[in-house]
Amino acid sequence: MRFDVLTLFPEMFEGINSSILGKAKEKKLIEINLINIRDFSKDKHKKVDDTPYGGGAGMVMRPDVVYDCYKSIKKDSAKVIYLSPQGKTLNQEKVKQLSKESHLILLCGHYEGIDQRVLDKIVDEEISIGDYCLTGGELPAMVLIDSVSRYVKGVLNEKSLDEESFSNGLLEYPQYTRPEIFEGQSVPEVLLSGNHQNIASWRKTQSENITKIKRPDLFEKYIENMKTNRVL
Ligand code: 4G1
């Protein structure tokens, strides 16, 4: 899977080289191309933004610079995503859907955003990571790359994908590892029993109860899902 990221701050993406995504890059399972929008400024001072028409605070990214940057990358069937607070909030369903694409172009805004005309011209979809203020679309782009890459074959082992809580819409059951006794607290007995059927049912109950208490909104959806998927 290929990600082309159009950004004014490519250095922010260095963190992606560590951990699981770093491995995925080394193994060529994912490819992340960082394209610096500033490289496409024709201005002698490499200016990429200007004051908003109509007045107001801050700066707006120029459409011509963003467009030249966009045109510099091969298009094929790539989908252009603008990370923006105006997009629908990213969720696991959307993540799965995006993982079926082979090429995504991620556009990151900065300052007060990007001139609307170039957005109208090149953007296929707007996606937000949540309702709060940020200084730019770079962290959202990284969130998208991280969440989508997990679904690329070979990035995770299949087992962790199937077993993850969100695959059934529930939160995760509590996890324990050595030592068997930590600060006077022992591990739930069932987990030491070796009875895999009992362990599985204990974990399911834990997942359901935790979801019911901590995320009643998710639990509601889980129940609805159970009803519609039930074989009659
Ligand atoms: C109005 C949040 C403005 C922010 C309302 C989530 C936020 C991109 C995202 C803003 C951004 C709210 C995101 C705001 C983001 C231009 C550059 C937009 C930074 C910018 C709730 C600033 N998911 N924010 N505006 O934060 O890009 O993707």
Side-chain angles (χ1 to χ4, degrees):
M1 171 139 203
R2 169 174 166 193
F3 300 94
D4 291 333
V5 187
L6 280 47
T7 170
L8 285 174
F9 299 95
E11 327 81 54
M12 284 184 75
F13 291 81
E14 262 156 47
I16 277 179
N17 293 321
S18 18
S19 186
I20 295 170
L21 290 194
K23 286 260 159 56
K25 272 180 68 181
E26 281 172 25
K27 290 202 243 165
K28 305 254 155 69
L29 300 172
I30 60 168
E31 177 188 346
I32 302 170
N33 300 313
L34 303 172
I35 302 109
N36 192 340
I37 297 171
R38 194 172 299 280
D39 291 345
F40 297 86
S41 169
K42 292 191 185 79
D43 184 77
K44 62 178 176 213
H45 300 109
K46 291 271 163 231
K47 223 169 115 74
V48 293
D49 55 357
D50 213 327
T51 53
Y53 279 118
M59 300 294 268
V60 176
M61 288 165 69
R62 287 174 56 116
D64 51 348
V65 181
V66 172
Y67 192 52
D68 286 345
C69 179
Y70 163 81
K71 281 188 296 187
S72 78
I73 52 187
K74 263 213 314 249
K75 251 79 83 225
D76 52 73
S77 60
K79 181 173 219 161
V80 179
I81 296 173
Y82 178 42
L83 285 309
S84 155
Q86 298 185 14
K88 278 230 209 84
T89 310
L90 187 64
N91 58 28
Q92 199 64 16
E93 192 190 327
K94 174 55 78 180
V95 166
K96 255 185 224 177
Q97 197 184 312
L98 290 175
S99 72
K100 311 262 194 288
E101 303 279 339
S102 60
H103 185 186
L104 295 177
I105 298 175
L106 307 180
L107 176 58
C108 306
H110 233 89
Y111 317 116
E112 304 311 308
I114 303 177
D115 185 292
Q116 188 61 41
R117 293 166 294 179
V118 71
L119 297 177
D120 292 343
K121 199 168 170 64
I122 70 173
V123 173
D124 296 311
E125 188 169 354
E126 285 184 301
I127 294 178
S128 168
I129 62 159
D131 297 334
Y132 31 77
C133 290
L134 293 172
T135 58
E138 282 77 13
L139 288 169
M142 281 188 258
V143 166
L144 190 147
I145 291 170
D146 189 291
S147 59
V148 169
S149 296
R150 294 177 69 260
Y151 281 104
V152 173
K153 208 167 167 54
V155 172
L156 296 185
N157 60 55
E158 313 262 306
K159 231 175 141 209
S160 22
L161 261 191
D162 295 341
E163 277 196 14
E164 76 177 353
S165 53
F166 256 125
S167 62
N168 58 18
L170 290 174
L171 297 176
E172 263 158 300
Y173 48 79
Q175 299 276 19
Y176 301 88
T177 186
R178 279 179 276 279
E180 199 175 312
I181 296 178
F182 167 70
E183 299 280 311
Q185 286 205 141
S186 49
V187 171
E189 223 171 80
V190 63
L191 299 179
L192 308 171
S193 70
N195 184 327
H196 296 292
Q197 214 172 317
N198 285 352
I199 292 173
S201 80
W202 180 84
R203 283 177 165 169
K204 177 115 188 285
T205 310
Q206 289 287 318
S207 277
E208 288 175 342
N209 289 342
I210 286 163
T211 309
K212 203 187 306 191
I213 289 161
K214 293 192 178 174
R215 291 293 305 276
D217 56 322
L218 286 183
F219 192 70
E220 201 73 20
K221 274 196 209 159
Y222 168 72
I223 295 295
E224 285 311 307
N225 221 359
M226 296 270 278
K227 285 180 189 157
T228 48
N229 289 348
R230 193 168 56 197
V231 186
L232 295 169

